[in-house]
């Protein structure tokens, strides 16, 4: 077997006679294998007991200072040690030495100063002088159980003779024990105080001094018999007696004080672990080890409960108990402080709440105040913090928006109108960032808040409100308040007309101080709606009760309505403001219909259709799609009528802009160079494309959006009315065109007819058609070429009307001629015949009748001489 190795000793220090337990490896195969146990150089083998291969128990000898523990076995030889033992020495205090604690008088010293011998001077190693080689021992645990609070030290009051014999002489024979007893009696008898010889031998000098003193007293008393020698002696004895009583009383007082200190020191020694409880708790708080704190507290309370009645009455004991409970209360207060440090996750909050309740259940002190419900306390404080965070987010973005407005105003002074619009569309508005941050922050916090509240309602934590229904009602009231404030903040920022400014129920002023125009709102509202709907869907997925979710549902509904109105109002505003004033609006293109008829158009109808369809696309993207938990958008009939009017307004804005160009209320921009007649034709063609292509395309898109049937019927009426308006405006444009293109021709006929002072009564012989006819033909040919280029389908209708008007004008002029000479009659006939043949394709029955009336006015009876010329 390897050398013995000592790895531990308990206790590590002690006075002589201290029982120690030695642990290690290879400490012997059995008791017979154990040769020696040496502690600090003192052989302790005699009282050593081999328990097992890794444990030995023994009692220390007179060890002073620190030394090694050496085990010697037959199988392994002399061993080594990795630990040491500290031997302590008791300090002997004399009866006249001043100390801070009470020391009993040494029983070895008499009041006279004579020494006596006591049983404590006997050898503790083998008082019976019996061989211990063959004695076997019980285990120390067994003897401690059978003889609790006993000792084998004969100098102590709790000395147990039976345990002493069982532990040291269990296997000794009765005869050996009797011999040992006789030995012990002889040993004690030779040293007892009753032995006069021993007393004299030990104190011979003291006896000699006493005899001398007695001789002197006898001599003094015999020489002074007449004097009252005893009187002085009595007085001195009384003084000595009084001094002795005083010293005795002082000693008793010191003893009482020392007893109190000793009792306190004993309490401190017994409960020293509790004295350091606050420091231990502080260390555990650094790592949030509340389980260990609670366990330590329970163990401390258990230890205090086992105290003796006398100890319980101690002031120090009461102070230790108060400090213990006070520190645990401080831990609870720290938990409450951590519980209201936000943001924190529900798991962290649950951990703190559970530990608070565990500590609360383990505290046994009476409370003057009501018990705090940590879960409810946390919910209340988090609600207040939640609201404060939303208000701070709102105030921060209001400040940022004010700064951006100042910067924008300084930049706008240096920018054109188009650049302003472009920059406004490119730079994200501050309120877009605000709604994104608000909704993201709101959902993150609300999710955790809802989880904690759900645990509270479902009695995961002990509550001061045992009724689950009432707990739910109280918590839902907090949630409702949070949701209402969130909705009011959003309303004040984006749809302020729906925000009740007079509502001060929450004691908060939520009005957004900066008001934006409709253009800005139309740009930011769709994004706001998109973000809010996402947030509302996430809240709805948490299965929030419908009664509480109602304010969010109402907010989303109002945002959808407002966004739909805004999106459908925006094209109207833009068409009225910008249509026809941008260069791209007048880019010319050729449109070909299904009959292969072509005409020239501009981008006006395309832009109208683009804006209309873009608005509908945005409506479909942001508004129209119904999501779970949302109110039906067109459940209100008045709102449906409003939307149909907005659709009508878009078409009306387009027609109004066309009409204003037609009536010259709006002048063409400088970059558009064209005659009024050509403009009218372009506008007519644009309306034609709008009626045949744009409106049907828009109607088809409306049908694809799957509006309710009732609403589609309203839309159908709107589009039917819009087509009628387009047709009416086309008719007006055609009339205006005819008026613009034909009337100048007709008005010039009279002047040209009498040009060169032509006289129907006396004129020269005709050689060809007159100039006024040529001018009519040339002017109408110009109109024809314009129509042929822009819209050839109008040639027939325009020329039918033009020829009819020209003939009527000629008829009216010739009707005023009183008399035709032969030359004038022939000339007039030739002119009318030329016009008739030139425009015979566009001469209708009414025009033919007018021509017939004209020819009747011309006298043809004298045409015989001009027949060949006329032919």
């Amino acid at each position: 077997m390897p050398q013995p190795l000592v790895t531990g000793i308990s206790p590590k220090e002690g006075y002589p006679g201290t029982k120690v337990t030695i642990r290690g490896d290879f400490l012997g195969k059995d008791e017979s294998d154990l040769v020696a146990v040496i502690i600090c150089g003192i052989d302790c083998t005699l009282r050593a007991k081999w328990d097992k291969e890794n444990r030995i128990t023994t009692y220390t000898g007179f060890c002073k200072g620190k030394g090694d523990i050496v085990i010697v076995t037959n199988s392994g030889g002399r061993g080594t040690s990795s630990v040491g033992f500290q031997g302590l020495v008791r300090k002997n205090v004399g009866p006249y030495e001043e100390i801070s604690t009470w020391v009993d008088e040494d029983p070895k010293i008499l009041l006279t100063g004579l020494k006596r011998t006591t049983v404590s001077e006997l050898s503790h190693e083998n008082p019976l002088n019996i061989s211990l080689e063959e004695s076997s021992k019980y285990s120390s645990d067994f003897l401690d159980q059978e003889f609790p609070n006993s000792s084998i030290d004969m100098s102590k009051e709790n000395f147990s003779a039976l345990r002493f014999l069982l532990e040291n002489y269990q296997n000794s024979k009765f005869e050996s024990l009797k011999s040992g007893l006789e030995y012990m009696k002889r040993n004690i008898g030779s040293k007892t105080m009753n032995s006069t010889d021993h007393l004299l031998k030990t104190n011979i000098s003291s006896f000699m001094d006493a005899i001398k003193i007695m001789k002197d007293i006898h001599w003094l008393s015999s020489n002074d018999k007449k004097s009252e020698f005893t009187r002085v002696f009595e007085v001195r004895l009384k003084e000595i007696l009084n001094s002795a009583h005083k010293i005795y009383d002082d000693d008793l007082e010191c003893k009482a004080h020392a007893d109190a200190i000793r009792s306190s020191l004993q309490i401190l020694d017994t409960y020293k672990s509790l004295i350091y409880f606050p420091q231990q708790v502080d260390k555990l708080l650094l790592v949030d080890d509340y389980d260990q704190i609670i366990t330590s507290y329970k163990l401390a309370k258990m230890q205090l409960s086992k105290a003796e009645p006398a100890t319980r009455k101690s002031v120090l004991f009461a102070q230790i108990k108060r400090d213990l409970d006070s520190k645990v209360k401080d831990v609870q207060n720290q938990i409450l402080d951590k519980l209201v440090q936000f943001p924190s996750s529900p798991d962290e909050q649950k951990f703190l709440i559970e530990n608070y309740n565990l500590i609360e259940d383990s505290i046994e002190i009476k409370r003057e105040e009501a018990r705090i419900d940590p879960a409810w306390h946390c919910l209340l404080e988090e609600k207040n913090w939640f609201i404060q965070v939303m208000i701070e987010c709102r105030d921060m973005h209001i400040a940022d928006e004010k700064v951006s407005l100042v910067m924008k105003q300084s930049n706008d002074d240096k920018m054109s109108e188009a650049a302003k619009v472009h920059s406004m569309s490119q730079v994200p508005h501050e309120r877009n960032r605000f709604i994104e941050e608000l909704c993201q922050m709101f959902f993150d916090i609300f999710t955790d808040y809802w989880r904690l509240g759900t645990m509270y309602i479902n009695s995961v934590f002990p509550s001061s409100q045992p009724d689950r229904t009432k707990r739910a009602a109280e918590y839902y009231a907090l949630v409702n308040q949070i949701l209402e404030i969130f909705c009011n903040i959003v309303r004040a920022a984006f749809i302020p007309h729906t925000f009740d400014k007079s509502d001060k129920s929450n004691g908060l002023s939520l009005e957004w101080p900066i008001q934006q125009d409709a253009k800005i709102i139309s740009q930011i509202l769709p994004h706001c709606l998109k973000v809010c709907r996402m947030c509302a869907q996430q809240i709805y997925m948490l299965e929030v009760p419908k009664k509480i979710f109602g304010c969010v549902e109402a907010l989303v509904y109002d945002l959808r309505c407002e966004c739909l109105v805004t999106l459908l109002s925006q094209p109207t505003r833009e068409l009225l403001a910008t249509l026809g004033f941008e260069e791209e609006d007048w880019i010319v293109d050729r449109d070909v219909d299904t009959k292969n008829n072509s005409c020239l158009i501009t981008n006006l109808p395309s832009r109208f259709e683009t804006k209309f369809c873009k608005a509908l696309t945005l409506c479909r993207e942001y508004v129209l799609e119904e999501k779970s938990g949302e109110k039906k958008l067109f459940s209100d009939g008045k709102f449906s009528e409003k939307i149909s009017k907005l659709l009508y307004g878009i078409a009306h804005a387009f027609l109004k802009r066309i009409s204003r160009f037609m009536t010259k209320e709006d002048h063409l921009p400088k970059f558009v160079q064209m005659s009024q007649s050509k403009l009218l034709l372009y506008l007519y063609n644009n309306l034609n494309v709008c009626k045949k292509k744009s409106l049907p395309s828009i109607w088809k898109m409306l049908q694809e959006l799957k509006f309710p049937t009732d609403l589609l019927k309203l839309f159908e009426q709107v589009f039917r009315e819009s087509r009628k308006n387009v047709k009416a405006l086309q008719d007006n444009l055609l009339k205006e065109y005819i008026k613009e293109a034909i009337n100048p021709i007709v008005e010039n006929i009279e002047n040209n007819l009498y040009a060169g002072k032509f006289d129907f009564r006396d004129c020269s012989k005709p050689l060809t058609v007159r100039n006024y006819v040529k001018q009519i033909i040339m002017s109408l040919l110009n109109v024809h070429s314009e129509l042929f280029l822009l819209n050839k389908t109008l040639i027939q209708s325009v020329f039918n009307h033009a020829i009819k008007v020209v003939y009527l004008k000629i008829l009216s002029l010739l009707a005023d001629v009183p008399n035709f000479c032969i030359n004038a009659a022939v000339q007039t006939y030739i002119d009318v015949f030329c016009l008739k043949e030139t425009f015979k394709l566009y001469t209708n029955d009414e025009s033919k009748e007018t021509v017939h009336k004209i020819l009747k006015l011309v006298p043809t009876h004298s045409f015989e001489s001009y027949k060949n010329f006329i032919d």
Side-chain angles (χ1 to χ4, degrees):
M1 178 178 286
Q3 290 182 343
L5 174 63
V6 177
T7 59
I9 184 168
S10 177
K12 295 182 179 181
E13 61 181 13
Y15 295 100
T18 301
K19 182 180 178 181
V20 295
T21 301
I22 301 171
R23 290 180 175 82
D25 297 323
F26 315 114
L27 302 183
K29 298 178 180 179
D30 52 26
E31 187 173 3
S32 62
D33 191 37
L34 182 63
V35 176
V37 178
I38 303 171
I39 300 177
C40 297
I42 304 299
D43 190 353
C44 303
T45 311
L46 186 62
R47 302 180 66 185
K49 178 186 174 185
W50 185 90
D51 292 332
K52 45 186 170 181
E53 187 178 342
N54 59 359
R55 187 175 69 183
I56 296 174
T57 57
T58 186
Y59 293 85
T60 62
F62 188 77
C63 304
K64 185 176 181 181
K66 189 170 184 179
D68 294 332
I69 300 96
V70 179
I71 305 296
V72 181
T73 62
N74 291 322
S75 59
R78 188 180 182 89
T80 59
S81 171
S82 61
V83 295
F85 180 81
Q86 180 74 37
L88 305 178
V89 180
R90 287 190 176 91
K91 181 181 179 182
N92 293 324
V93 181
Y96 303 107
E97 184 176 351
E98 293 184 2
I99 57 173
S100 59
T101 60
W102 179 266
V103 177
D104 292 330
E105 294 179 355
D106 191 347
K108 299 178 183 179
I109 303 177
L110 300 176
L111 291 175
T112 59
L114 304 180
K115 297 182 179 179
R116 65 184 179 184
T117 303
T118 66
V119 74
S120 62
E121 293 181 343
L122 296 173
S123 173
H124 292 296
E125 294 182 0
N126 193 2
L128 298 182
N129 197 26
I130 300 174
S131 175
L132 301 176
E133 293 181 1
E134 299 179 358
S135 65
S136 61
K137 305 177 182 65
Y138 286 106
S139 66
S140 299
D141 296 337
F142 173 77
L143 293 174
D144 290 338
Q145 183 177 359
E146 293 296 325
F147 304 98
N149 300 322
S150 63
S151 174
I152 62 173
D153 189 351
M154 289 184 289
S155 64
K156 295 186 178 179
E157 295 180 358
N158 60 345
F159 171 72
S160 173
L162 183 57
R163 178 171 181 173
F164 179 80
L165 292 175
L166 287 174
E167 188 165 343
N168 296 286
Y169 305 100
Q170 176 190 359
N171 296 329
S172 299
K173 297 180 180 181
F174 182 70
E175 295 297 330
S176 299
L177 292 175
K178 285 176 65 178
S179 300
L181 180 60
E182 292 299 328
Y183 169 79
M184 188 175 182
K185 286 180 179 181
R186 289 194 302 271
N187 197 14
I188 293 176
S190 63
K191 298 180 180 180
T192 183
M193 276 189 61
N194 296 329
S195 175
T196 306
D197 294 339
H198 180 74
L199 179 63
L200 288 173
K201 290 178 180 179
T202 308
N203 300 281
I204 186 65
S205 60
S206 299
F207 275 104
M208 294 302 293
D209 291 339
I211 291 171
K212 184 179 179 180
I213 291 171
M214 291 175 67
K215 286 181 178 181
D216 291 340
I217 292 173
H218 177 72
W219 179 80
L220 288 173
S221 63
S222 64
N223 289 338
D224 198 9
K225 291 181 179 179
K226 294 180 181 180
S227 64
E228 296 183 356
F229 170 76
T230 56
R231 174 66 63 186
V232 178
F233 192 69
E234 288 177 1
V235 172
R236 184 59 58 87
L237 286 176
K238 287 182 180 179
E239 291 178 357
I240 293 172
L241 182 62
N242 291 334
S243 297
H245 282 305
K246 185 177 183 303
I247 292 172
Y248 181 73
D249 291 339
D250 291 342
D251 285 347
L252 289 179
E253 185 178 350
C254 291
K255 185 178 186 302
H257 183 63
D259 287 341
I261 294 176
R262 188 183 297 109
S263 176
S264 298
L265 290 174
Q266 184 179 1
I267 293 174
L268 290 174
D269 184 62
T270 304
Y271 302 108
K272 60 183 177 182
S273 61
L274 304 186
I275 296 173
Y276 295 104
F277 180 77
Q279 290 83 349
Q280 182 184 5
V281 168
D282 291 337
K283 291 180 181 178
L284 293 173
L285 283 175
L286 295 176
V287 293
D288 293 336
D289 193 355
Y290 297 105
D291 291 338
Q292 186 61 39
I293 293 175
I294 295 170
T295 302
S296 300
Y297 178 70
K298 289 182 178 179
L299 291 174
K301 296 294 287 186
M302 186 182 300
Q303 186 177 357
L304 290 175
S305 66
K306 295 179 180 180
E308 298 294 334
T311 305
R312 291 174 182 271
K313 297 178 182 179
S314 170
V315 176
L316 182 59
F317 181 86
Q319 182 63 41
I320 291 175
K321 189 175 181 181
R322 283 196 300 271
D323 292 345
L324 191 68
D325 293 332
S326 175
K327 187 59 182 179
V328 174
K329 276 299 299 174
D330 291 342
V331 172
Q332 275 193 306
N333 293 333
Q334 290 187 38
I335 291 177
L336 284 180
D337 293 340
K338 284 188 177 182
L339 203 54
V340 296
Q341 291 176 3
F342 306 111
S344 58
S345 68
D347 294 331
E348 294 173 352
Q349 293 168 339
K350 180 183 177 183
F351 172 73
L352 293 173
I353 292 170
E354 288 175 343
N355 283 287
Y356 181 93
N357 288 328
L358 287 174
I359 295 175
E360 184 72 24
D361 294 339
S362 62
I363 293 179
E364 299 175 357
I365 58 176
K366 295 182 179 179
R367 294 181 174 276
E368 297 180 358
E369 71 278 4
R371 175 170 175 170
I372 297 176
D373 185 347
W376 180 247
H377 177 72
C378 180
L379 289 171
L380 282 175
E381 293 299 324
E382 188 168 9
K383 183 265 295 184
N384 296 332
W385 170 79
F386 197 170
I387 293 173
Q388 184 62 32
V389 168
M390 289 192 289
I391 298 298
E392 289 175 357
C393 177
R394 164 189 171 274
D395 293 343
M396 180 186 69
H397 284 279
I398 287 175
D400 291 343
E401 186 170 335
K402 288 180 179 178
V403 173
S404 63
L405 281 176
V406 172
M407 296 178 63
K408 180 177 179 299
Q409 288 174 358
S410 62
N411 292 333
D412 286 350
D413 297 338
K414 307 173 184 179
M415 296 169 62
S416 63
E417 191 66 29
K420 292 179 184 179
V421 175
H422 179 72
S423 65
M424 188 167 55
S425 62
Q426 293 296 320
V427 180
H429 196 271
E430 187 62 38
R431 291 194 204 181
N432 282 344
R433 290 189 284 267
F434 161 67
I435 196 62
E436 289 175 356
E437 183 176 336
L438 177 67
C439 288
Q440 182 62 49
M441 175 268 298
F442 178 85
F443 179 71
D444 291 343
I445 299 177
F446 185 82
T447 303
D448 292 343
Y449 190 73
W450 184 256
R451 281 183 59 196
L452 180 64
T454 304
M455 288 188 283
Y456 174 75
I457 293 173
N458 294 331
S459 304
V460 175
F461 318 114
S463 175
S464 56
Q465 176 56 266
D467 189 346
R468 183 179 185 278
T469 304
K470 291 183 179 179
R471 277 203 311 273
E474 291 172 351
Y475 171 67
Y476 289 154
L478 298 182
V479 175
N480 188 60
Q481 186 178 356
I482 292 173
L483 291 176
E484 284 184 350
I485 291 176
F486 168 74
C487 293
N488 286 336
I489 289 176
V490 176
R491 287 181 183 275
F494 295 94
I495 44 176
H497 59 279
T498 67
F499 170 61
D500 186 4
K501 299 178 183 178
S502 62
D503 185 12
K504 303 293 183 180
S505 58
N506 294 316
L508 300 171
S509 177
L510 304 177
E511 184 178 358
W512 195 280
I514 306 171
Q515 299 300 325
Q516 295 287 1
D517 57 17
K519 290 182 179 179
I520 299 294
I521 293 297
S522 64
Q523 289 182 354
I524 63 178
L525 195 56
H527 185 70
C528 166
L529 174 61
K530 180 180 180 180
V531 175
C532 286
R533 291 183 81 182
M534 291 175 60
C535 183
Q537 284 298 300
Q538 292 170 329
I539 296 173
Y540 181 79
M541 295 300 292
L542 295 175
E543 298 182 356
V544 177
K546 186 173 180 59
K547 184 177 180 181
I548 303 175
F549 189 71
C551 60
V552 179
E553 182 183 23
L555 170 66
V556 173
Y557 176 77
D558 290 344
L559 282 172
R560 291 177 69 196
C561 293
E562 187 65 24
C563 186
L564 187 60
V565 170
T566 301
L567 290 175
L568 295 180
S569 301
Q570 184 178 359
T572 302
R573 290 193 302 270
E574 293 180 354
L575 289 173
L576 290 174
T578 63
L579 187 67
F581 294 100
E582 298 179 3
E583 291 188 26
E584 63 178 14
D585 294 340
W586 298 99
I587 296 175
V588 177
D589 192 12
R590 180 170 295 277
D591 178 72
V592 180
D593 59 14
T594 56
K595 297 180 180 179
N596 205 27
N597 294 321
S598 63
C599 62
L600 292 181
I601 59 172
T602 66
N603 275 345
L604 293 178
S606 174
R607 190 172 175 206
F608 161 70
E609 182 181 349
T610 299
K611 289 189 175 295
F612 208 135
C613 292
K614 180 182 178 181
L616 293 178
T617 302
L618 292 175
C619 290
R620 176 172 57 188
E621 179 181 353
Y622 291 103
V623 183
L624 297 178
E625 182 183 356
E626 298 285 350
K627 297 183 179 180
S628 56
E630 293 183 349
K631 183 180 177 181
K632 296 294 183 182
L633 187 60
F634 299 104
S635 57
D636 185 1
K638 292 183 179 179
F639 180 71
S640 299
E641 293 179 1
K642 183 177 182 179
I643 296 302
S644 62
K645 290 179 180 179
L646 289 174
L647 293 177
Y648 176 79
I650 299 174
H652 180 72
F654 175 71
L655 297 179
K656 185 175 182 180
R657 173 57 57 207
I658 298 296
S659 177
R660 292 178 69 87
F661 281 129
M662 179 188 72
T663 58
K664 298 183 182 179
E665 294 180 48
D666 289 335
H667 299 288
L668 289 175
K670 293 181 179 180
F671 54 80
V672 179
Q673 300 294 330
M674 65 173 64
S675 64
Q676 182 66 19
S677 61
K678 185 177 290 187
L679 171 65
L680 293 174
L681 280 179
Y682 274 116
L683 296 178
Y684 179 92
N685 293 342
N686 289 336
L687 286 180
N688 197 43
V689 171
C690 176
K691 180 177 66 174
K692 293 182 178 180
K693 292 186 177 180
S694 298
L695 289 179
S697 177
I698 294 171
W699 172 246
K700 181 180 179 181
M701 187 173 183
L702 279 173
Q703 290 177 318
E704 292 175 352
L705 293 177
K706 298 180 181 180
F707 284 99
T709 305
D710 296 339
L711 190 61
L712 279 176
K713 291 181 179 179
L714 290 175
F715 291 170
E716 190 175 7
Q717 295 177 4
V718 167
F719 275 80
R720 204 162 34 238
E721 187 69 23
S722 298
R723 282 193 290 270
K724 289 180 181 180
N725 293 339
V726 170
K727 181 65 172 65
L729 184 57
Q730 273 189 300
D731 294 340
N732 290 335
L733 280 169
L734 189 58
K735 291 178 182 178
E736 286 295 322
Y737 176 76
I738 292 174
K739 181 180 178 182
E740 183 71 24
I742 304 303
N743 284 359
I745 298 175
V746 175
E747 291 172 357
N748 289 328
I749 291 177
E750 183 176 1
N751 294 330
N752 293 331
L753 182 65
Y754 293 101
K757 298 181 179 180
F758 182 81
D759 189 359
F760 284 92
R761 293 172 298 179
D762 183 16
C763 65
S764 60
K765 182 178 179 180
L767 299 176
T768 183
V769 295
R770 293 187 57 197
N771 287 334
Y772 82 92
V773 175
K774 294 178 181 179
Q775 289 179 355
I776 290 174
I777 293 173
M778 290 301 300
S779 298
L780 287 177
L781 286 177
N782 290 335
V783 172
H784 185 277
S785 63
E786 187 176 70
L787 289 172
F788 187 85
L789 175 66
L790 297 178
N791 191 349
K792 62 177 68 175
T793 59
L794 294 178
I795 294 176
Q796 189 69 40
S797 58
V798 170
F799 267 75
N800 285 342
H801 180 79
I803 297 302
K804 181 182 72 173
V805 173
V806 168
Y807 285 158
L808 289 174
K809 183 64 176 178
I810 294 174
L811 176 62
S812 63
L813 291 174
L814 295 179
D816 294 334
V817 174
N819 189 14
F820 288 88
C821 67
I822 184 63
N823 290 334
V826 173
Q827 184 66 52
T828 301
Y829 183 84
I830 292 172
D831 293 341
V832 172
F833 183 80
C834 181
L835 288 173
K836 177 183 176 182
E837 289 298 320
T838 303
F839 299 108
K840 62 182 178 180
L841 294 176
Y842 307 109
T843 305
N844 53 23
D845 295 338
E846 186 177 357
S847 298
K848 290 178 181 179
E849 181 66 24
T850 304
V851 171
H852 183 69
K853 291 179 179 179
I854 293 173
L855 294 177
K856 278 187 176 183
L857 294 176
V858 178
T860 57
H861 57 276
S862 57
F863 279 12
E864 294 297 332
S865 58
Y866 289 93
K867 183 177 180 181
N868 293 330
F869 176 74
I870 292 173
D871 293 338

